[in-house]
Amino acid sequence: MNACPERIVHFMHEYLDGEISREHELELKSHLQSCEACQAHMHELSDVVAFVKGAAHIEAPNDFNHSVIARLPKEKSSAGVSKWLRRHPVLAAAAMFLLLMSSALFTNFNDEQQFSFTKQENVLVEGETVIIPEGQVVKGDLVVRNGDVQIDGELDGNLTIINGTAYMASTANVTGTSEEINEVFDWLWFHIKDGAKNVVSFFEKEDK
Amino acid sequence: MDALVNKRIKQVLKGDKDAFAEIVDLYQHRLFQVCFRMLGNRHEAEDIAQEAFVRAFINIHTFDQKRKFSTWLYRIATNLCIDRIRKKKPDYYLDAEVRGTEGLDMYSQIAASDELPEEELMKLELQERIQYEISRLPDKYRSAIVLKYMEELSLQEISEILDLPLGTVKTRIHRGREALRKQLSRQPHI
């Protein structure tokens, strides 16, 4: 076989690739007829091709498709959101602030369903009603949540009632402002005003 | 087929995951087969083939729709397979697990840390024997042989998938055939 030109083996592969020219094919055929070793080589190569082509077709497992879909990254829209956040950090911070603030307010609103009031002297409590008896003077602000207020005497301060009603006797006297808050939006508004007042007073203090 | 695939790709680009599921349906068996033949192990093949689809989904905007989608997919998958093979020990192809193909309940697992002795080789089913011989090829030749004879792709397509000149692909297939010839002639014939 050593005597055989190297190109013969090359022609064998050209033949197997189906890309052999007419001249090469003729040379290969005439050589194979006269050389047993090359004939055997050619035979073995054909066997290799038949052997590999004998491989069975393999199918993916049944749940393959589902597994792929489960592995895909989450919706592209979330990528869009994070891109937007990165581009607008100030707006993102503002949005985050508003979100936290509002959620805090709403949870507060829901949490505070219980009857409560500012502790003051000279005040009576009957059930869920805070009473300022006739002739009594309460000094300071009074805040009542989830209850009513009955004023027969005098309140020297602001009165705020959340989810309740104020009953004023003819003798009643409230020196400050009187407010009733019954709805969520009133509640929000109250917090905003309250916050604004705090901010303003904070700046006033700064000025001093 | 290409028109349908391109339509689905446009839908995927708009964020439609169901359209991608249809693409997976069209190519899953071909891609799984390549991975299995390259890796010789169903679990790894499943993992890598899935990963190939996930990468295709993520990078689908980089696919040029004038080209053949299957070529692009095969390229992702074969690159992942070759990476996986190279991460294994240097004697990977002697070390590869060999498993049966169809009728998988009867597969036998062989840790071919060395050439199998003759009597063991005789016990292999034909399909196990094919996978065993393929797994013993160096990965350079293995990918070319698998794409040519198991996926039945043209030399031109293989050259695009492997990103190699046509001449290099031919050389690898020739050498692969010669390597298999030697493997088979040294051992009992089927």
Side-chain angles (χ1 to χ4, degrees):
Chain A
M1 199 175 140
N2 285 342
C4 299
E6 239 178 66
R7 64 174 185 278
I8 294 298
V9 174
H10 191 72
F11 292 166
M12 290 182 196
H13 286 288
E14 282 185 351
Y15 175 79
L16 291 172
D17 287 340
E19 292 192 333
I20 194 164
S21 66
R22 185 152 269 254
E23 303 108 75
H24 289 179
E25 190 172 355
L26 287 174
E27 192 183 338
L28 176 66
K29 278 191 174 162
S30 69
H31 180 84
L32 290 183
Q33 274 166 359
S34 61
C35 175
E36 264 184 46
C38 284
Q39 233 180 69
H41 192 146
M42 184 73 226
H43 213 90
E44 283 169 11
L45 284 177
S46 305
D47 281 351
V48 162
V49 172
F51 173 77
V52 178
K53 278 188 167 175
H57 275 279
I58 297 185
E59 300 224 321
N62 285 335
D63 59 345
F64 186 89
N65 196 325
H66 290 286
S67 312
V68 170
I69 300 303
R71 271 172 81 161
L72 294 184
K74 290 286 163 254
E75 296 299 327
K76 286 192 169 170
S77 63
S78 68
V81 169
S82 70
K83 220 179 267 173
W84 185 89
L85 287 179
R86 253 176 272 133
R87 268 188 221 151
H88 307 281
V90 177
L91 280 177
M96 185 55 90
F97 175 77
L98 282 177
L99 189 77
L100 290 178
M101 278 297 287
S102 57
S103 65
L105 286 181
F106 278 109
T107 46
N108 278 349
F109 186 80
N110 288 328
D111 283 349
E112 292 166 358
Q113 292 297 328
Q114 280 178 321
F115 171 62
S116 66
F117 61 97
T118 328
K119 275 205 176 136
Q120 295 284 12
E121 280 177 51
N122 312 328
V123 164
L124 287 177
V125 179
E126 272 177 23
E128 295 195 344
T129 306
V130 180
I131 302 168
I132 301 176
E134 207 175 337
Q136 299 284 4
V137 179
V138 173
K139 293 203 173 176
D141 297 344
L142 180 63
V143 178
V144 178
R145 284 175 212 271
N146 307 307
D148 299 331
V149 178
Q150 188 184 332
I151 301 175
D152 300 327
E154 208 174 301
L155 174 65
D156 190 7
N158 297 327
L159 171 65
T160 307
I161 302 155
I162 298 156
N163 285 340
T165 328
Y167 302 103
M168 307 282 198
S170 54
T171 51
N173 185 14
V174 178
T175 57
T177 56
S178 169
E179 265 186 301
E180 283 179 32
I181 299 167
N182 286 316
E183 297 298 332
V184 174
F185 288 104
D186 286 349
W187 165 246
L188 270 179
W189 178 232
F190 167 74
H191 263 279
I192 289 163
K193 276 201 295 186
D194 204 38
K197 266 187 226 159
N198 285 342
V199 170
V200 170
S201 61
F202 176 76
F203 279 112
E204 279 170 352
K205 270 181 207 161
E206 287 273 283
D207 287 344
K208 284 170 196 171
Chain B
M1 169 95 174
D2 284 351
L4 174 78
V5 171
N6 280 343
K7 196 178 158 196
R8 295 287 171 262
I9 290 168
K10 285 191 185 105
Q11 289 169 318
V12 175
L13 283 167
K14 285 178 196 152
D16 183 351
K17 273 191 184 175
D18 293 339
F20 192 74
E22 285 188 45
I23 292 177
V24 176
D25 270 337
L26 288 172
Y27 295 102
Q28 58 178 345
H29 299 304
R30 275 179 270 177
L31 224 56
F32 179 78
Q33 171 160 277
V34 174
C35 294
F36 176 75
R37 292 303 181 188
M38 290 293 288
L39 300 165
N41 173 312
R42 283 189 79 86
H43 289 292
E44 269 188 311
E46 199 179 343
D47 183 39
I48 294 293
Q50 285 175 4
E51 180 65 24
F53 278 114
V54 171
R55 300 231 178 152
F57 178 80
I58 294 168
N59 298 306
I60 199 149
H61 59 278
T62 67
F63 170 67
D64 176 0
Q65 291 190 30
K66 283 175 230 130
R67 316 196 76 167
K68 213 171 162 186
F69 187 69
S70 62
T71 304
W72 189 67
L73 260 185
Y74 275 129
R75 188 165 173 175
I76 297 173
T78 48
N79 282 339
L80 286 172
C81 285
I82 290 168
D83 283 351
R84 174 64 65 98
I85 291 166
R86 292 193 178 151
K87 271 179 200 158
K88 291 186 189 173
K89 287 178 236 163
D91 58 340
Y92 49 83
Y93 57 91
L94 295 176
D95 208 44
E97 282 180 336
V98 180
R99 288 186 179 191
T101 52
E102 300 287 75
L104 290 149
D105 44 336
M106 54 92 189
Y107 70 77
S108 60
Q109 200 175 310
I110 302 146
S113 59
D114 216 330
E115 251 175 62
L116 285 178
E118 212 170 287
E119 65 269 25
E120 287 296 314
L121 215 48
M122 294 300 284
K123 285 187 209 153
L124 290 182
E125 300 274 344
L126 173 64
Q127 292 301 327
E128 292 173 317
R129 178 73 190 275
I130 293 172
Q131 185 58 38
Y132 167 73
E133 299 297 352
I134 288 291
S135 73
R136 292 176 64 206
L137 285 174
D139 61 335
K140 277 202 280 188
Y141 306 158
R142 198 191 316 170
S143 50
I145 291 282
V146 165
L147 292 171
K148 167 86 180 149
Y149 289 112
M150 292 169 170
E151 300 291 321
E152 295 169 316
L153 299 176
S154 70
L155 294 172
Q156 183 56 46
E157 253 188 293
I158 297 171
S159 115
E160 282 175 43
I161 291 166
L162 299 177
D163 197 20
L164 293 170
L166 197 57
T168 311
V169 171
K170 283 184 192 169
T171 307
R172 288 188 178 186
I173 288 176
H174 298 182
R175 293 197 181 148
R177 279 194 294 245
E178 289 294 341
L180 282 170
R181 184 180 76 92
K182 282 180 193 139
Q183 282 172 213
L184 291 179
S185 64
R186 224 177 11 215
Q187 278 153 3
H189 241 288
I190 303 271

